[in-house]
Amino acid sequence: MADDDNFMRLVRNRVSCREYLAREVTDADIFYCLEAARLSPSACNKQPWRFVIVKDAALRERICRDGLLPGVPMPWLKTAPVIVVLCAQKNVLTHRIAPLFSGVDYPLLDCGIAGEHFVLAAERRGLGTCWIGWFKPRFVKKLLHLPSDFKPVSLLSLGYPAQQRDLSSRLEMKDIARFDGWR
């Protein structure tokens, strides 16, 4: 039961971080998070996720200045010492054909699982993260010279939180789940 409590505490404490300390994230902490992501399950065990770790200040500045979509200001992203670009490798045959039959974008689903493993591992190490989907994938792909079969699907800010984070409110269980149908 204690392990379950530790896991649920980790999950409850992980919230989006939008203010970071000017403190370097160690490669050891990054590799810890990457290892958690690497161990994620995936459809047909194809493991389509790829991570590009952006620590270079000039590259991070370019992403913040030119790689975000307009209308949603994210000035806090400039304070994150690391931006992680989560990509889906789209050259896997089963990931191209299977969605035609099922309607499920398996690489995107698999990347979501790996990304969540990454952010939970970051929380375990005392790091803050924030998922960012409001960005320009083509710009980021070109800026970072990504291979043609890599599709950036999300950015993750990563760093040490500058302040205590407010735990977000969540829907009640009765609002999100039912057994044996929705009644």
Side-chain angles (χ1 to χ4, degrees), residues 57-144:
L59 287 175
R60 290 192 334 268
E61 171 61 31
R62 288 282 317 271
I63 290 171
C64 292
R65 187 182 69 230
D66 303 322
L68 302 177
L69 290 169
V72 180
M74 293 182 242
W76 51 268
L77 184 56
K78 293 178 183 179
T79 68
V82 179
I83 297 174
V84 179
V85 181
L86 174 52
C87 301
Q89 187 178 28
K90 299 289 262 184
N91 69 351
V92 182
L93 184 61
T94 56
H95 285 101
R96 290 183 184 268
I97 293 175
L100 297 175
F101 294 97
S102 69
V104 176
D105 187 342
Y106 295 103
L108 191 59
L109 181 63
D110 293 343
C111 286
I113 295 167
E116 188 61 12
H117 276 52
F118 186 99
V119 301
L120 287 175
E123 178 65 33
R124 177 69 178 89
R125 296 294 259 220
L127 294 162
T129 57
C130 187
W131 285 85
I132 301 162
W134 196 249
F135 73 105
K136 301 174 186 173
R138 285 187 189 141
F139 175 84
V140 171
K141 181 174 185 162
K142 185 176 179 180
L143 176 69
L144 299 177

Side-chain angles (χ1 to χ4, degrees), residues 1-181:
M1 190 64 155
D3 286 340
D4 287 341
D5 291 342
N6 289 335
F7 178 73
M8 290 307 291
R9 186 172 25 259
L10 177 73
V11 171
R12 281 188 187 100
N13 287 338
R14 195 264 146 216
V15 296
S16 294
C17 179
R18 292 184 175 91
E19 190 175 353
Y20 297 92
L21 296 174
R23 179 177 163 197
E24 182 180 346
V25 177
T26 67
D27 288 347
D29 282 340
I30 293 169
F31 280 113
Y32 180 87
C33 298
L34 289 169
E35 179 64 5
R38 188 184 72 81
L39 296 173
S40 300
S42 63
C44 300
N45 198 30
K46 294 300 180 185
Q47 305 169 53
W49 48 78
R50 300 295 182 266
F51 293 84
V52 179
I53 310 304
V54 183
K55 294 174 78 174
D56 179 80
L59 287 175
R60 290 192 334 268
E61 171 61 31
R62 288 282 317 271
I63 290 171
C64 292
R65 187 182 69 230
D66 303 322
L68 302 177
L69 290 169
V72 180
M74 293 182 242
W76 51 268
L77 184 56
K78 293 178 183 179
T79 68
V82 179
I83 297 174
V84 179
V85 181
L86 174 52
C87 301
Q89 187 178 28
K90 299 289 262 184
N91 69 351
V92 182
L93 184 61
T94 56
H95 285 101
R96 290 183 184 268
I97 293 175
L100 297 175
F101 294 97
S102 69
V104 176
D105 187 342
Y106 295 103
L108 191 59
L109 181 63
D110 293 343
C111 286
I113 295 167
E116 188 61 12
H117 276 52
F118 186 99
V119 301
L120 287 175
E123 178 65 33
R124 177 69 178 89
R125 296 294 259 220
L127 294 162
T129 57
C130 187
W131 285 85
I132 301 162
W134 196 249
F135 73 105
K136 301 174 186 173
R138 285 187 189 141
F139 175 84
V140 171
K141 181 174 185 162
K142 185 176 179 180
L143 176 69
L144 299 177
H145 309 285
L146 302 180
S148 62
D149 60 341
F150 281 28
K151 178 183 178 183
V153 296
S154 184
L155 304 178
L156 300 170
S157 57
L158 179 68
Y160 291 94
Q163 63 184 19
Q164 181 67 31
R165 296 164 286 167
D166 292 328
L167 299 181
S168 302
S169 63
R170 295 289 185 253
L171 294 173
E172 296 291 326
M173 188 64 72
K174 66 179 177 53
D175 297 325
I176 66 160
R178 301 283 194 284
F179 287 88
D180 301 323

